[in-house]
Amino acid sequence: MKKILLTTILLLLTSLYASSGEDVYKAKCVSCHKMQGMMDTAQKQEMRKKMQNATQQGRMAMREKMMQKMQSNDMKAPPMPMVSKRLKMKLKTREAFIGFVEDYIQNPSQEKGFCMPMAYKRFGVMPPVGKVLTQEQRRVVAAWLYDEFKGEWGTSKGDKMCEMRNKSMKCGAVKIQTH
């Protein structure tokens, strides 16, 4: 009887101190993965128009300028809404998303990651921050990352970030929504 009572008390105390996914994100992720990128909506729309009207050489120059801008600010990793949307595009179910994130944050590698080559060039591979988290913290942050960011990577030509087609990169902008 004492063991059952003690176990029940421990479970109740553990649940009281369990972190929410947002708490874990704020404590362990936000220092690198910000909620927003370098541009607001108007700047993204302006960039999209410029990219669509530019020559291939002009687009490459704009990408290079953007890379330099990223290097000059404190951006340490891709913004979390972009990460979440990219993973949702690659991993079709919530369960696959959560399982991937739980594993990846403990054992990140370029081989199993889904970042674009430009992101790896700029940021490299993230450190294994998940190794200091409990299994429960990894699970709740992964679920929160899936649930928090709505929408998809892109479903129409004008609503896509960069993607590879026929060995050339096509770029636009992505709408980012959070709730």
Side-chain angles (χ1 to χ4, degrees):
M1 182 66 176
K2 287 182 181 181
K3 286 183 181 179
I4 292 173
L5 182 60
L6 183 59
T7 302
T8 304
I9 291 171
L10 285 173
L11 287 173
L12 287 172
L13 287 174
T14 302
S15 67
L16 288 174
Y17 291 105
S19 299
S20 73
E22 184 176 13
D23 291 340
V24 176
Y25 167 78
K26 287 178 178 176
K28 300 294 181 182
C29 309
V30 77
S31 63
C32 295
H33 292 283
K34 304 294 183 195
M35 285 293 261
Q36 294 182 342
M38 302 179 321
M39 296 184 275
D40 62 24
T41 303
Q43 291 170 319
K44 287 179 201 172
Q45 289 172 346
E46 182 181 334
M47 177 62 81
R48 181 186 306 147
K49 286 179 187 175
K50 286 180 181 179
M51 289 291 254
Q52 289 172 343
N53 296 324
T55 64
Q56 183 173 353
Q57 185 177 3
R59 285 191 298 273
M60 292 302 289
M62 283 185 247
R63 286 185 202 112
E64 185 61 34
K65 185 176 179 181
M66 183 182 258
M67 291 292 285
Q68 290 171 353
K69 184 176 179 181
M70 285 191 300
Q71 290 172 346
S72 67
N73 72 15
D74 67 347
M75 188 177 235
K76 297 175 188 170
M80 193 53 79
M82 300 301 292
V83 171
S84 179
K85 286 179 178 228
R86 179 117 177 124
L87 290 178
K88 285 179 184 178
M89 177 184 74
K90 298 290 185 176
L91 304 165
K92 302 301 182 191
T93 67
R94 185 176 191 271
E95 294 76 27
F97 181 103
I98 291 170
F100 173 81
V101 171
E102 286 180 297
D103 174 62
Y104 191 81
I105 63 176
Q106 292 180 86
N107 304 296
S109 73
Q110 188 168 349
E111 292 75 31
K112 67 181 174 183
F114 292 108
C115 289
M116 299 194 56
M118 187 169 71
Y120 284 118
K121 181 180 176 184
R122 164 61 180 102
F123 303 114
V125 176
M126 67 177 278
V129 296
K131 289 188 184 242
V132 299
L133 300 175
T134 67
Q135 183 178 1
E136 175 67 10
Q137 288 173 318
R138 290 189 299 269
R139 187 190 62 74
V140 298
V141 76
W144 183 81
L145 293 174
Y146 184 90
D147 296 336
E148 176 67 13
F149 303 104
K150 303 298 180 195
E152 298 175 358
W153 183 259
T155 54
S156 66
K157 185 177 178 184
D159 194 28
K160 290 191 178 190
M161 192 59 179
C162 300
E163 71 175 32
M164 296 300 285
R165 281 198 186 154
N166 301 327
K167 297 185 181 180
S168 64
M169 194 173 278
K170 304 284 184 180
C171 292
V174 174
K175 295 176 186 171
I176 299 173
Q177 287 178 251
T178 63
H179 63 91

